[in-house]
Structure formats: C-alpha cells, structure tokens
Amino acid sequence: MLTPTPNDPLPQRIRAVVFDWRGTLVSELDACGWVREALRLTNRDHDDHAVDTVLKAIHAPELLRRLQSPQGNTSAQRHRETYYGVFTDAGLEKDVADALWDIDSSTKYNHFAADAADTIHMAIENGCKIGVLSNIHFDIRPVFDAARLLEPIDAFILSNEVGVQKPDPAIFQLMLDELGTDAAATLMVGDRPSRDGAAAAVGMPTLIVPPLTDPAIRQLHIVEEAILAGHAPAARTA
C-alpha cells in the first residue's frame, strides 16, 4: 500500500528513496523461523510444538510489549538488556537465550532481495538519492559493502546511532535532513505499516511491501513504478 503525501495539492517528482533494511531490502526470519533456528543450534527438538512453546513464553503480552518497545533499538546496550530481560522472565535456558540473541544480531540470515540492487540503481539512474533507515542495534554498512552496494547509498540512519527509532517522526526528519530533500519528494519503502508507515507523519509518501522472507521474491518493481509515475499514486498494493 502506498500512502500519498498529506495535504499536497500538486504531484511532486520523487527525488529520493529511503529503504528499510530487514524485511524490505533483505530477507529475514519470521518469529517461528527465529525460534526454530535457535532450538536447532542448541541441539533441541525444533518441531512445531517446541517452537510454539518458546514463542508462547516470550510472546506473553507483557513480554511482547517489551520486545516491541519504542526504545528497544535506540542503543545496542538497551536492545541487549531488553531482549535478555525478556528471555530471563520467559524462563528460557541460557544457551537458548544466547542463540536467539546471536541470530537476531547476525546478518547470516539476511539476504538481499533478488531485485534490490537493480531497484537501487534504477532509482539512481532516475536522479534519486538513496537512504537506508533501519531500527537496528548494529552497523549494517559492512553488509552493503560486501554486496557492493555501499557506494550507491547517500545516507544511513540507524536507530542505535541516532538514539531514536521508528515510528518516531524524528528519525524520518533526520533522514530528510541528511539527504537534503523535501518530504513530499522522498519515498519511504518498508514492510511494517506501524513503523515505516509513520513516515507519512512528516509528509513522506510511503510504500508498504509484504515482509520479505524469501530473497527470490521480486516485489520492488513498484518502487520503479512510483518513481516513473512522477508522484505517489493514491493507493498501491504490492
């Protein structure tokens, strides 16, 4: 779904594209996959029942709220304290907690979408600046460097470095300031309406794509369509 810029009577050409990282440019494990891999790595049963048991423990309402805290990714230390606090209160054994943390902090399970590089280069060829905006507790620049995609990125805004995270409008404004572009001409592309969709609060047209769990899926073509259209259409579904 693409949210148009609020209160903008005239269409504006897209002059910058800002991408979320996990679930948008790269694949990520869903919650079941995360737990299953942790159980597998610790040589435990990792069938559906075992996975469900752990998920129910860490997704108890109060614990889930803590995992989804709007402050949880504003520093590496805070993220670690939040996650290990939840794992402890959920009664997980230390090796399982360590495995869950290691997976969450690893890029091993994140692979660039098959059309990520082409989409980035297409945007550049159409005169767009490129930003990456992520709620993350570690530096992801080396991942882009390894994929030969570091140079095309004009700006990285990472929550652990700036002390604020999506959906706080302030983090989107930081990106706009870094890119030097107007909100109405800067397209936000992400997979979480509750977080990435908040870019609309600062006037950025926002494209929401389904969370990417399989890097072979090609769904970023709608970014090209939005750019070539010259402005954000009223609504669009990936």
Side-chain angles (χ1 to χ4, degrees), residues 30-237:
D30 61 14
C32 288
W34 176 43
V35 171
R36 194 181 308 279
E37 180 65 1
L39 293 175
R40 186 189 70 80
L41 291 174
T42 54
N43 298 313
R44 285 173 164 78
D45 288 339
H46 48 280
D47 58 17
D48 290 348
H49 175 72
V51 169
D52 188 56
T53 298
V54 174
L55 277 178
K56 284 182 177 178
I58 64 177
H59 283 178
E62 175 57 30
L63 299 186
L64 183 59
R65 281 193 292 271
R66 285 159 56 186
L67 283 179
Q68 298 174 340
S69 166
Q71 298 298 320
N73 263 313
T74 53
S75 76
Q77 182 62 29
R78 184 173 291 113
H79 189 77
R80 183 180 179 87
E81 290 174 352
T82 298
Y83 270 57
Y84 270 96
V86 167
F87 297 156
T88 297
D89 291 347
L92 302 187
E93 294 188 43
K94 186 177 184 303
D95 62 337
V96 175
D98 288 344
L100 287 169
W101 172 258
D102 289 345
I103 294 166
D104 184 58
S105 303
S106 172
T107 61
K108 175 182 177 181
Y109 305 95
N110 307 127
H111 305 283
F112 276 98
D115 54 354
D118 287 346
T119 300
I120 289 171
H121 289 299
M122 173 279 305
I124 294 170
E125 289 168 2
N126 280 276
C128 294
K129 291 184 175 181
I130 304 295
V132 174
L133 175 57
S134 178
N135 286 358
I136 196 68
H137 56 288
F138 57 88
D139 186 8
I140 60 176
R141 293 176 186 85
V143 179
F144 285 80
D145 194 20
R148 298 183 180 180
L149 286 173
L150 182 60
E151 185 176 350
I153 309 303
D154 295 288
F156 284 90
I157 297 293
L158 310 181
S159 62
N160 69 302
E161 296 179 351
V162 299
V164 63
Q165 70 181 52
K166 298 176 286 186
D168 192 325
I171 197 169
F172 300 103
Q173 188 59 54
L174 286 172
M175 176 57 80
L176 293 172
D177 293 343
E178 189 72 16
L179 290 174
T181 53
D182 292 335
T186 305
L187 177 67
M188 179 68 208
V189 183
D191 67 307
R192 297 192 181 188
S194 61
R195 296 183 183 182
D196 302 304
V202 298
M204 296 170 65
T206 306
L207 175 62
I208 302 298
V209 297
L212 185 70
T213 57
D214 180 353
I217 294 174
R218 305 178 70 90
Q219 60 183 21
L220 294 176
H221 57 87
I222 50 178
V223 175
E224 180 174 8
E225 293 174 10
I227 292 173
L228 297 181
H231 67 285
R236 182 76 190 197
T237 301

